[in-house]
Amino acid sequence: MEGNAAAGMIKTGEILTKAEVLVVATSSFGEGDPPSNYNNFLLELYRAAASKEKPLAGLQHAILGFGASVYETFQNCPRLTDRLLEECGSRRFLERVEVDECDPTEACMKKVEAWKESTFKYLNKPAAASKPPACEWAIPDGAMVLEKNAEGEEGSKSGNFYLFLAV
């Protein structure tokens, strides 16, 4: 499911009736902007996080980020997504994996495969959503993010964001 299609599910809380786990794969473009099919989802995460009500409590998530480390805003959207989901009450069940397209293709594929295996292993035997998160959101190396919460932001005209709902 594309992010913008899932944005309304965040807004209405429907996501909690449809899924127990979110598996997100996304990237950043330009000045750390979200992909074009991700803008609304990111905006709804910002709104939900601002509510301070933990509207996604009971949900669990894992993030796979793509990007190029030559940019100052490397992994901006994956990092924001991870942080905002946590602020909304979701539990991180796996450390975020950050794929750097500047690395050799083989190294990138190894990271993706390892993340995929860890994710599927977890999904086959999940822990309770009330357990502590697998790690802090800033791991690995994510303490710096460029906020992207302006309503009406167009974002990049390229790239993709995918959200997988698991029940």
Short mmCIF file of all heavy atoms in Angstrom, two decimals, residues 1 7 26 33 40-41 54 57 66 72 81 92-93 101-102 116 121-122 133:
data_model
loop_
_atom_site.label_atom_id
_atom_site.label_comp_id
_atom_site.label_asym_id
_atom_site.label_seq_id
_atom_site.Cartn_x
_atom_site.Cartn_y
_atom_site.Cartn_z
N MET A 1 0.86 -1.17 0.00
CA MET A 1 0.00 0.00 0.00
C MET A 1 0.90 1.23 0.00
O MET A 1 1.87 1.28 0.75
CB MET A 1 -0.87 -0.04 1.26
CG MET A 1 -1.66 1.21 1.51
SD MET A 1 -2.65 1.15 3.02
CE MET A 1 -3.96 0.12 2.47
N ALA A 7 -2.79 7.20 4.67
CA ALA A 7 -2.85 8.40 5.51
C ALA A 7 -4.18 8.52 6.23
O ALA A 7 -4.22 8.84 7.42
CB ALA A 7 -2.59 9.66 4.68
N THR A 26 11.10 3.25 2.73
CA THR A 26 11.01 4.57 2.13
C THR A 26 12.40 5.19 1.97
O THR A 26 13.40 4.62 2.37
CB THR A 26 10.10 5.50 2.96
OG1 THR A 26 9.81 6.68 2.20
CG2 THR A 26 10.70 5.86 4.29
N ASP A 33 13.19 15.63 1.55
CA ASP A 33 11.75 15.58 1.31
C ASP A 33 11.25 14.15 1.19
O ASP A 33 11.99 13.25 0.78
CB ASP A 33 11.40 16.34 0.02
CG ASP A 33 11.74 17.80 0.09
OD1 ASP A 33 11.61 18.38 1.18
OD2 ASP A 33 12.14 18.38 -0.94
N ASN A 40 1.19 12.76 2.46
CA ASN A 40 0.03 12.75 3.34
C ASN A 40 0.22 11.85 4.55
O ASN A 40 -0.24 12.16 5.64
CB ASN A 40 -1.23 12.35 2.56
CG ASN A 40 -1.59 13.35 1.50
OD1 ASN A 40 -1.21 14.52 1.58
ND2 ASN A 40 -2.30 12.91 0.48
N PHE A 41 0.88 10.71 4.34
CA PHE A 41 1.14 9.80 5.46
C PHE A 41 2.02 10.48 6.50
O PHE A 41 1.74 10.43 7.70
CB PHE A 41 1.79 8.51 4.95
CG PHE A 41 1.94 7.47 6.02
CD1 PHE A 41 0.88 6.66 6.37
CD2 PHE A 41 3.15 7.29 6.66
CE1 PHE A 41 1.01 5.69 7.36
CE2 PHE A 41 3.30 6.32 7.65
CZ PHE A 41 2.23 5.53 8.00
N LYS A 54 -1.00 9.15 22.00
CA LYS A 54 -0.50 7.83 21.62
C LYS A 54 -1.55 7.06 20.79
O LYS A 54 -1.94 5.96 21.14
CB LYS A 54 -0.09 7.01 22.84
CG LYS A 54 0.94 7.67 23.72
CD LYS A 54 2.29 7.67 23.08
CE LYS A 54 3.33 8.20 24.05
NZ LYS A 54 4.51 8.66 23.41
N ALA A 57 -0.87 3.30 19.86
CA ALA A 57 -0.49 2.34 20.91
C ALA A 57 -1.04 0.97 20.55
O ALA A 57 -2.21 0.85 20.13
CB ALA A 57 -1.01 2.80 22.26
N PHE A 66 16.24 3.97 2.49
CA PHE A 66 17.14 4.02 1.35
C PHE A 66 17.60 5.45 1.14
O PHE A 66 16.85 6.39 1.39
CB PHE A 66 16.43 3.54 0.07
CG PHE A 66 16.03 2.10 0.12
CD1 PHE A 66 14.77 1.74 0.55
CD2 PHE A 66 16.92 1.11 -0.26
CE1 PHE A 66 14.39 0.41 0.61
CE2 PHE A 66 16.55 -0.22 -0.20
CZ PHE A 66 15.29 -0.57 0.23
N GLU A 72 23.34 15.73 2.97
CA GLU A 72 23.23 16.07 4.40
C GLU A 72 21.96 15.49 5.01
O GLU A 72 21.92 15.23 6.21
CB GLU A 72 23.23 17.58 4.59
CG GLU A 72 24.57 18.23 4.36
CD GLU A 72 24.53 19.72 4.58
OE1 GLU A 72 23.74 20.18 5.45
OE2 GLU A 72 25.26 20.44 3.89
N THR A 81 10.03 8.96 10.10
CA THR A 81 8.97 7.96 10.22
C THR A 81 9.15 7.14 11.48
O THR A 81 8.19 6.93 12.24
CB THR A 81 8.97 7.04 8.98
OG1 THR A 81 8.75 7.83 7.81
CG2 THR A 81 7.89 5.98 9.07
N ARG A 92 8.85 -0.10 18.17
CA ARG A 92 9.86 -0.51 17.19
C ARG A 92 10.30 -1.92 17.54
O ARG A 92 10.88 -2.17 18.57
CB ARG A 92 11.04 0.46 17.24
CG ARG A 92 12.19 0.16 16.33
CD ARG A 92 13.30 1.21 16.46
NE ARG A 92 12.73 2.57 16.47
CZ ARG A 92 12.41 3.24 17.59
NH1 ARG A 92 12.63 2.73 18.77
NH2 ARG A 92 11.87 4.44 17.52
N PHE A 93 10.02 -2.87 16.66
CA PHE A 93 10.41 -4.25 16.96
C PHE A 93 11.75 -4.63 16.37
O PHE A 93 12.29 -5.70 16.68
CB PHE A 93 9.33 -5.25 16.55
CG PHE A 93 9.13 -5.45 15.07
CD1 PHE A 93 9.95 -6.29 14.34
CD2 PHE A 93 8.07 -4.82 14.42
CE1 PHE A 93 9.74 -6.49 12.99
CE2 PHE A 93 7.85 -5.02 13.08
CZ PHE A 93 8.69 -5.86 12.36
N GLU A 101 23.02 3.92 -1.00
CA GLU A 101 23.24 3.56 -2.39
C GLU A 101 24.66 3.87 -2.87
O GLU A 101 25.04 3.46 -3.96
CB GLU A 101 22.22 4.23 -3.29
CG GLU A 101 22.33 5.73 -3.38
CD GLU A 101 21.25 6.36 -4.23
OE1 GLU A 101 20.09 5.92 -4.15
OE2 GLU A 101 21.58 7.30 -4.97
N CYS A 102 25.45 4.57 -2.06
CA CYS A 102 26.84 4.81 -2.40
C CYS A 102 27.71 3.58 -2.12
O CYS A 102 28.84 3.50 -2.60
CB CYS A 102 27.39 6.01 -1.62
SG CYS A 102 26.58 7.56 -2.06
N LYS A 116 15.18 -8.17 5.84
CA LYS A 116 14.00 -8.96 5.44
C LYS A 116 13.91 -10.24 6.27
O LYS A 116 12.84 -10.57 6.79
CB LYS A 116 14.07 -9.27 3.95
CG LYS A 116 12.82 -9.94 3.41
CD LYS A 116 12.81 -9.97 1.90
CE LYS A 116 13.77 -11.00 1.38
NZ LYS A 116 13.66 -11.20 -0.08
N LYS A 121 11.27 -13.30 10.46
CA LYS A 121 11.45 -14.11 11.66
C LYS A 121 10.60 -13.54 12.80
O LYS A 121 9.91 -14.28 13.50
CB LYS A 121 12.93 -14.14 12.05
CG LYS A 121 13.23 -14.99 13.25
CD LYS A 121 14.71 -14.99 13.55
CE LYS A 121 15.01 -15.80 14.80
NZ LYS A 121 16.43 -15.76 15.13
N TYR A 122 10.64 -12.23 12.96
CA TYR A 122 9.85 -11.58 14.00
C TYR A 122 8.35 -11.77 13.76
O TYR A 122 7.60 -12.07 14.68
CB TYR A 122 10.18 -10.09 14.10
CG TYR A 122 9.37 -9.43 15.19
CD1 TYR A 122 9.80 -9.49 16.50
CD2 TYR A 122 8.17 -8.82 14.91
CE1 TYR A 122 9.04 -8.93 17.52
CE2 TYR A 122 7.40 -8.26 15.91
CZ TYR A 122 7.84 -8.32 17.21
OH TYR A 122 7.08 -7.79 18.21
N PRO A 133 10.85 -1.02 23.22
CA PRO A 133 11.29 -1.07 21.82
C PRO A 133 12.64 -1.78 21.68
O PRO A 133 13.41 -1.87 22.64
CB PRO A 133 11.40 0.40 21.42
CG PRO A 133 11.48 1.15 22.69
CD PRO A 133 10.80 0.34 23.74
#
